[in-house]
Amino acid sequence: MQVSVETTQGLERRLTISVPAETVDVEVKNRLRQVSKTQRINGFRPGKVPPSVIQKRYGKSVRQEVAGEIMQRSFVDAIVAEKINPAGRPSFVAKSNEDGKELKFEATFEIYPVVELKGLENITIERPDVEVSADDLDEMFETLQKQHQTWKENKRKTKKGDKLVLDFTGRIDGEEFEGGKAEGFELELGAGRMIPGFEKEITGMKAGDEKTIKVTFPDDYHAENLKGKEAEFDIVVHTTEGAVLPPVDEEFAKLFGVEEGGVEALREEVSKNMTRELTQAVKAKVKEQVLEGLLSSHDVSLPSALVAQEIDVLRQQAMQRFQGQMDPNNLPELPNDMFKEQAERRVKIGLLLGEVIKVNELKVDTTKVDELIATAASAYEDPQEVIEYYANNKELMQQMQNVALEEQAVEFLVEKAKVENKKATFKEIMNPEGK
């Protein structure tokens, strides 16, 4: 077998490979001999068909089949011999494939780029210094209470958090407009469902009150004919209700599956969950900064084959999400451009972290794998069952090992980087946009 390597452009390479005629012809003859034993042809007994008849009927297709298999094997042998690391599958073009002649073909493919790590010590990280405080825990309990609140009719002036049932009629320049009228409309004050100013203007109204308010539609309102327009709304309030929060007692604790230990046991469980989520959020923020620093300091050529593969993965994930909201038969064909930027980012991160792992000879830390599985399992009712499920599922275990190795690479980079601890609050980390 003869091999020549050519650089076409960028990461693309072309191998020209020649396989001796004898190698191909011998394999074709053997394959035709096998065919003659199984094929039935009118006028001949099974297994007694003359070779010339088999050659005439099946020779061309068998040669194409054999040539395809030899090209695959020869390509693998060639890249091993030439120490080439292809990214993605090659495309084959047969240049010569005739009886009695050498099989000559070209294999075109991309290779992985050469990645040279640099400037790792210049990556800067602000690591949040934060913990779950007693006030954070109290606020979480208020949230849990609101999840189980009931409503009671009241006669007082309304305030944020109250629920109203009202009628409204809207006008612009004295004329009613489409979508500006409703009867028996239920609204919770502070939920932000209405245009700016609407809820503020009706806060303080009581059941039976009537009022005309003035508000202005935002300039970016979705309806073109209402953008920036000033409107009047006639308001009639029929009923108002105030929220009634359940008392924090043993019965409240049982709502969350805590049968023993009452409120203290519930607080301990909630605190553990908050701490676990906070730890993961801090880790994610540090990782995000590490990856941004890594990306900004390295310019890496990306194999288009790997980007295309990643686009397919992202498209499939998007389709799966849409299937829960739309009829699968009506799902649109999502274009490559929709995922290209994210795919390129993911491929670049994968190449860079892969190089960190290779250069520093990082190996999977089984203790970290166990910790990751234990953390994931702790969110379930029976953690041990989840741990055993991972242990008996090779695919899931491999996925978790990959996650662990990636975390080890990130931790290695954190050790090299400039890290500054910065005080932060639970809210800032868990709800950075204040939503």
Side-chain angles (χ1 to χ4, degrees), residues 367-391:
T367 301
K368 178 172 283 293
V369 174
D370 292 341
E371 290 174 354
L372 288 170
I373 294 174
T375 298
S378 65
Y380 292 84
E381 185 175 346
D382 188 348
Q384 188 57 39
E385 182 180 349
V386 177
I387 292 172
E388 291 174 1
Y389 185 71
Y390 269 92

Side-chain angles (χ1 to χ4, degrees), residues 47 64 127 188 231 250 275 307 349 378:
Q64 291 292 340
R127 178 159 43 201
E188 183 179 338
E250 287 194 8
T275 300
V307 174
I349 287 172
S378 65

Side-chain angles (χ1 to χ4, degrees), residues 160-180:
K160 183 178 179 180
D162 285 346
K163 188 188 296 182
L164 296 79
V165 174
L166 51 85
D167 299 340
F168 62 79
T169 301
R171 297 182 304 278
I172 293 179
D173 297 330
E175 297 290 333
E176 294 184 15
F177 58 91
E178 185 178 355

Side-chain angles (χ1 to χ4, degrees), residues 340-395:
K340 186 178 180 182
E341 185 176 347
Q342 185 181 0
E344 290 177 340
R345 173 185 169 87
R346 287 172 62 156
V347 169
K348 186 175 180 182
I349 287 172
L351 292 171
L352 289 169
L353 289 181
E355 190 67 13
V356 172
I357 292 167
K358 183 179 73 174
V359 169
N360 298 284
E361 299 181 347
L362 301 181
K363 306 297 181 185
V364 175
D365 183 343
T366 55
T367 301
K368 178 172 283 293
V369 174
D370 292 341
E371 290 174 354
L372 288 170
I373 294 174
T375 298
S378 65
Y380 292 84
E381 185 175 346
D382 188 348
Q384 188 57 39
E385 182 180 349
V386 177
I387 292 172
E388 291 174 1
Y389 185 71
Y390 269 92
N392 296 318
N393 189 308
K394 289 184 179 179
E395 185 177 347

Side-chain angles (χ1 to χ4, degrees), residues 119-125 289-290 410-420:
L120 302 184
E121 68 283 356
N122 295 325
I123 296 175
T124 58
I125 298 169
Q289 294 175 73
V290 168
V410 170
E411 289 169 0
F412 175 87
L413 293 170
V414 170
E415 291 176 3
K416 296 286 185 182
K418 299 175 182 177
V419 181
E420 178 185 353

Side-chain angles (χ1 to χ4, degrees), residues 135-363:
D135 289 341
D136 296 326
L137 189 56
D138 289 341
E139 285 192 25
M140 182 59 70
F141 263 73
E142 289 179 14
T143 300
L144 297 178
Q145 285 178 282
K146 288 177 181 177
Q147 291 175 0
H148 292 82
Q149 69 186 13
T150 55
W151 297 92
K152 182 178 180 181
E153 189 172 351
N154 60 41
K155 302 296 182 182
R156 60 171 170 74
K157 291 183 177 181
T158 52
K159 60 182 181 180
K160 183 178 179 180
D162 285 346
K163 188 188 296 182
L164 296 79
V165 174
L166 51 85
D167 299 340
F168 62 79
T169 301
R171 297 182 304 278
I172 293 179
D173 297 330
E175 297 290 333
E176 294 184 15
F177 58 91
E178 185 178 355
K181 187 173 184 177
E183 294 181 354
F185 186 78
E186 190 174 278
L187 176 65
E188 183 179 338
L189 294 177
R193 290 178 57 194
M194 309 300 284
I195 61 174
F198 191 100
E199 293 179 22
K200 180 180 178 181
E201 289 293 329
I202 65 174
T203 299
M205 295 182 70
K206 304 188 301 294
D209 283 356
E210 298 183 14
K211 182 180 180 181
T212 298
I213 65 172
K214 290 184 178 182
V215 292
T216 302
F217 283 91
D219 292 333
D220 59 354
Y221 194 67
H222 60 84
E224 191 68 33
N225 62 316
L226 299 179
K227 288 183 177 180
K229 296 290 183 66
E230 186 177 273
E232 288 185 336
F233 285 89
D234 294 332
I235 309 293
V236 178
V237 177
H238 295 295
T239 62
T240 66
E241 295 178 320
V244 179
L245 300 180
V248 178
D249 53 19
E250 287 194 8
E251 291 303 313
F252 181 74
K254 289 179 180 179
L255 293 174
F256 299 92
V258 178
E259 297 294 335
E260 297 181 2
V263 175
E264 284 307 310
L266 177 61
R267 287 183 69 87
E268 183 178 345
E269 184 66 24
V270 171
S271 179
K272 271 194 332 188
N273 291 339
M274 292 174 67
T275 300
R276 182 179 64 246
E277 292 177 7
L278 180 61
T279 300
Q280 293 301 317
V282 169
K283 186 184 294 185
K285 284 189 174 295
V286 170
K287 180 178 180 179
E288 181 182 358
Q289 294 175 73
V290 168
L291 296 181
E292 285 301 324
L294 196 61
L295 288 169
S296 64
S297 58
H298 292 85
D299 186 17
V300 180
S301 298
L302 304 180
S304 58
L306 296 186
V307 174
Q309 291 173 16
E310 197 62 41
I311 286 174
D312 285 340
V313 171
L314 293 170
R315 182 187 288 111
Q316 288 300 319
Q317 292 173 350
M319 295 291 279
Q320 289 172 4
R321 290 194 298 271
F322 287 145
Q323 282 175 4
Q325 306 167 16
M326 298 174 61
D327 182 347
N329 297 321
N330 294 329
L331 287 174
E333 179 64 29
L334 303 178
N336 288 355
D337 288 347
M338 183 175 178
F339 308 102
K340 186 178 180 182
E341 185 176 347
Q342 185 181 0
E344 290 177 340
R345 173 185 169 87
R346 287 172 62 156
V347 169
K348 186 175 180 182
I349 287 172
L351 292 171
L352 289 169
L353 289 181
E355 190 67 13
V356 172
I357 292 167
K358 183 179 73 174
V359 169
N360 298 284
E361 299 181 347
L362 301 181
K363 306 297 181 185

